[in-house]
Amino acid sequence: MVRITEELLRQRAEHNNRELFSLEEISLHQQEIEKLEYIDKLCRDLKILYLQNNLIPKIENVSKLKKLEYLNLALNNIERIENLEGCEELQKLDLTANFIGELSSIEILKHNIHLKELFLVGNPCTEFEGYRQFVVATLHQLKWLDSKEIERSERIQALQNYRQVEKQIRDQEQVYLLQRAREKEEALKKIQEKQEKKKEKQIKPKPGFDGRWYTDINNINPDPLEDKENHQQKETEKEYQEWKIDKDDEEDRAFWEEPTPYTPESRLEVHRHLEEKRRVKENIRGQKVKEKPPRTLITAEGKVLNMNEPKLHFFLKDDEENNQFILDLAVYRHLDSSLIDVDVQPTYLRVMVKDKPFQLMLPAEVKPDSSSAKRSQTTGHLVISMPKVQEIIMANRKTPTLVKPSDSNKLQTNIKRERVEKLEVDPSKYSFPDVANIIQEKERIGQVPINLQQQKVIDTENSYVDFEDNQDVPPLI
């Protein structure tokens, strides 16, 4: 049974910041509520109240809602209209698909002078002869009845035949009330019979298993047939559970196939049956769910296991230049950093992501105190830097130096000099032909004489071994 409590009201008032004193609208539909309570004390300013599809048998504890304009009580177990005199601003009342048989109880709605719409579709009273005429003649302020507008001519005619229609309605009410009294007695007898059957009838298990387990406390030494007996016992228990489930299915099928009248008692019975079936399923589901064994991160021998339970992509880089390991762990981008716990040990690394471990064995020993962890603001990746314990001495690489433009000429001359020195030969061992006079100069008429560059004549006879041609010294000629 679900009761209306302050906590339930606050949960359904999230649109109003869970505040009740200023709440104007609340929906409590499909909550399996069986009694109206506390609403008139906690929510005085309510204007709209939804209570459809529950198990409410009586209208109560709403008379203090002075500002209530719309009350929806469709699909409940209400049999009489009552306790609505205090709802002074009530304009719309929905009582669709209830069990209202006392049609004369609508006379109490005369005090609700602002009532414009009334819904009684699906109630036993709508089958009475003269039902609509009686309602129209009784409630003068009503404008709509069962989604149909009340015309002026219809009201005049209903008022003219009111005495006759009222007598018919009273007679039909008495017949209905007698029938309801018989239905209540039958429902009460049926409930008592079911309770007696439950007490007398006990589930008899199949032969070979009585539903209890026995242990021989004196049997210290294991019996070679013990495993076989345990296996047979488990098989018997499994067969018993299957038989029990089949029997429950047969009972459930018989319950739904049994013809029953549509009454508040039968509706409650269906609700109880469904609730019991739901509870049994939850118990079976709870038995089937096995507890997960504790995680083994480090074995008894001290071996660290690699593990990636959160299933994250990662990349481990060996940065030899800085003598460290860098781990790039692709943590979810929108995951809060408070849900991440990093633990760096000398030989392994462990990262807990939402209580799921990521553990990695490191190739070499690192310094936990000097390690650092950072998180990218764009991708959300976790980058962990772990310096190594053993430092590796790397050879210094020659870094290129920038050459100034003023020194470029000197550099070029030095390079040329080196090239000349490398290509120098001994002139005493070789003779070179004189090519200075191969081409004779010719005077050209009408043209400016061509200035030919004076060629150096190498005198092989006067050359000696220690000769050095220095280009920085100007020629003597």
Side-chain angles (χ1 to χ4, degrees):
M1 175 179 175
V2 179
R3 302 176 66 92
I4 298 177
T5 60
E6 182 179 354
E7 182 60 28
L8 176 62
L9 294 174
R10 291 191 183 278
Q11 287 178 1
R12 307 299 294 181
E14 292 182 352
H15 59 282
N16 198 45
N17 297 325
R18 296 173 63 92
E19 295 179 357
L20 300 181
F21 69 93
S22 61
L23 186 64
E24 296 185 354
E25 179 179 349
I26 191 170
S27 178
L28 297 172
H29 65 285
Q30 297 180 354
Q31 296 292 319
E32 299 180 356
I33 298 170
E34 297 187 20
K35 187 178 181 181
L36 274 177
E37 51 188 351
Y38 302 122
I39 295 180
D40 57 342
K41 297 178 182 179
L42 300 174
C43 309
R44 291 292 185 90
D45 291 341
L46 271 183
K47 293 183 179 181
I48 301 175
L49 177 57
Y50 295 100
L51 287 164
Q52 66 269 27
N53 202 0
N54 284 292
L55 301 169
I56 301 170
K58 183 180 180 180
I59 303 175
E60 56 186 343
N61 297 321
V62 293
S63 58
K64 295 181 181 179
L65 301 177
K66 304 296 182 181
K67 299 180 181 180
L68 188 64
E69 299 177 359
Y70 176 33
L71 177 60
N72 192 332
L73 284 166
L75 290 167
N76 280 281
N77 295 345
I78 298 171
E79 299 187 53
R80 179 183 173 84
I81 302 175
E82 55 188 344
N83 300 323
L84 290 174
E85 305 93 329
C87 301
E88 300 173 356
E89 299 295 329
L90 188 63
Q91 300 178 12
K92 185 177 180 180
L93 178 61
D94 192 346
L95 294 168
T96 303
N98 277 275
F99 297 92
I100 299 174
E102 296 185 43
L103 187 57
S104 59
S105 62
I106 65 169
E107 293 179 354
I108 201 170
L109 296 177
K110 290 180 179 180
H111 302 281
N112 305 99
I113 58 176
H114 299 288
L115 184 64
K116 305 298 180 184
E117 296 182 60
L118 178 62
F119 296 88
L120 293 171
V121 178
N123 286 274
C125 63
T126 58
E127 299 177 2
F128 294 171
E129 186 179 353
Y131 146 75
R132 186 174 177 86
Q133 293 179 355
F134 178 78
V135 176
V136 171
T138 304
L139 303 177
H140 300 168
Q141 76 276 24
L142 208 61
K143 302 294 183 182
W144 294 80
L145 177 60
D146 297 335
S147 301
K148 185 178 179 181
E149 187 177 3
I150 301 172
E151 297 180 357
R152 184 178 179 184
S153 58
E154 183 182 4
R155 191 181 299 279
I156 293 173
Q157 186 177 0
L159 290 171
Q160 291 175 350
N161 302 328
Y162 179 71
R163 296 297 178 187
Q164 182 180 357
V165 172
E166 183 184 11
K167 185 179 179 180
Q168 292 178 354
I169 294 296
R170 301 287 183 184
D171 294 340
Q172 294 177 74
E173 270 187 9
Q174 294 299 323
V175 175
Y176 174 77
L177 291 176
L178 292 174
Q179 181 184 353
R180 277 293 299 136
R182 289 194 297 269
E183 290 175 353
K184 288 180 180 179
E185 290 178 1
E186 292 177 0
L188 185 60
K189 289 180 181 179
K190 190 175 180 181
I191 292 173
Q192 291 176 354
E193 288 177 359
K194 285 188 175 181
Q195 290 178 352
E196 290 175 359
K197 285 182 179 179
K198 284 183 179 180
K199 291 179 181 179
E200 295 175 358
K201 185 179 177 181
Q202 295 180 354
I203 300 175
K204 296 180 181 180
K206 292 182 69 178
F209 181 71
D210 59 355
R212 295 177 292 179
W213 295 97
Y214 299 92
T215 304
D216 186 3
I217 59 175
N218 296 322
N219 187 11
I220 300 174
N221 297 324
D223 191 354
L225 300 177
E226 185 178 359
D227 296 337
K228 186 176 181 181
E229 291 177 358
N230 291 338
H231 179 70
Q232 291 178 354
Q233 220 168 18
K234 290 180 180 179
E235 291 294 331
T236 306
E237 183 185 3
K238 185 177 179 181
E239 292 177 3
Y240 168 72
Q241 293 293 342
E242 293 177 355
W243 169 78
K244 188 177 179 180
I245 291 172
D246 294 339
K247 189 173 183 180
D248 292 341
D249 292 340
E250 291 178 2
E251 292 179 357
D252 186 59
R253 195 180 302 109
F255 175 82
W256 292 111
E257 291 178 355
E258 181 184 0
T260 54
Y262 183 63
T263 61
E265 292 78 18
S266 63
R267 193 163 181 261
L268 272 174
E269 187 180 3
V270 170
H271 170 69
R272 300 280 187 269
H273 179 76
L274 293 175
E275 188 177 4
E276 185 177 357
K277 296 292 290 183
R278 192 185 307 119
R279 192 183 303 111
V280 170
K281 287 182 178 179
E282 289 178 357
N283 293 337
I284 295 174
R285 192 181 297 113
Q287 293 175 0
K288 289 183 178 180
V289 174
K290 298 180 180 179
E291 294 183 359
K292 292 184 178 180
R295 300 187 186 98
T296 304
L297 301 177
I298 301 176
T299 61
E301 295 79 12
K303 182 180 179 181
V304 179
L305 302 178
N306 291 335
M307 187 176 298
N308 189 3
E309 193 169 321
K311 298 180 181 179
L312 300 174
H313 296 285
F314 68 94
F315 177 73
L316 183 65
K317 179 183 177 183
D318 188 358
D319 188 1
E320 295 182 353
E321 293 184 1
N322 299 319
N323 193 34
Q324 64 179 356
F325 292 115
I326 299 177
L327 176 67
D328 187 351
L329 189 61
V331 179
Y332 315 117
R333 180 178 180 182
H334 300 289
L335 182 67
D336 197 303
S337 298
S338 61
L339 300 175
I340 304 173
D341 185 19
V342 181
D343 182 16
V344 180
Q345 297 295 331
T347 57
Y348 68 92
L349 164 74
R350 183 184 300 164
V351 181
M352 300 295 292
V353 181
K354 294 180 67 175
D355 296 331
K356 295 182 179 180
F358 170 87
Q359 187 166 277
L360 184 64
M361 187 73 178
L362 298 175
E365 192 173 352
V366 298
K367 300 177 182 179
D369 297 339
S370 303
S371 301
S372 64
K374 298 180 181 180
R375 195 167 179 203
S376 173
Q377 295 182 352
T378 55
T379 62
H381 287 205
L382 181 67
V383 181
I384 304 173
S385 302
M386 299 166 284
K388 299 178 184 178
V389 173
Q390 297 180 355
E391 297 183 358
I392 301 174
I393 301 175
M394 301 293 295
N396 293 329
R397 298 180 181 178
K398 294 182 179 180
T399 56
T401 56
L402 296 176
V403 180
K404 296 181 180 180
S406 60
D407 298 340
S408 60
N409 296 330
K410 294 182 180 180
L411 182 63
Q412 291 178 0
T413 55
N414 293 334
I415 294 172
K416 289 181 180 179
R417 188 179 302 168
E418 291 177 0
R419 289 179 181 175
V420 171
E421 290 175 357
K422 290 180 180 179
L423 297 177
E424 186 178 0
V425 295
D426 189 358
S428 61
K429 296 181 180 180
Y430 299 92
S431 61
F432 297 93
D434 187 7
V435 294
N437 299 321
I438 292 178
I439 301 176
Q440 297 179 357
E441 293 183 0
K442 294 182 180 181
E443 294 181 359
R444 296 182 181 182
I445 301 172
Q447 294 182 359
V448 180
I450 299 174
N451 295 327
L452 297 176
Q453 184 180 358
Q454 295 182 356
Q455 298 179 356
K456 294 182 180 180
V457 179
I458 300 174
D459 190 3
T460 57
E461 296 179 356
N462 298 330
S463 62
Y464 50 90
V465 179
D466 295 331
F467 174 78
E468 182 179 357
D469 186 8
N470 192 347
Q471 295 182 2
D472 293 338
V473 179
L476 297 176
I477 299 175

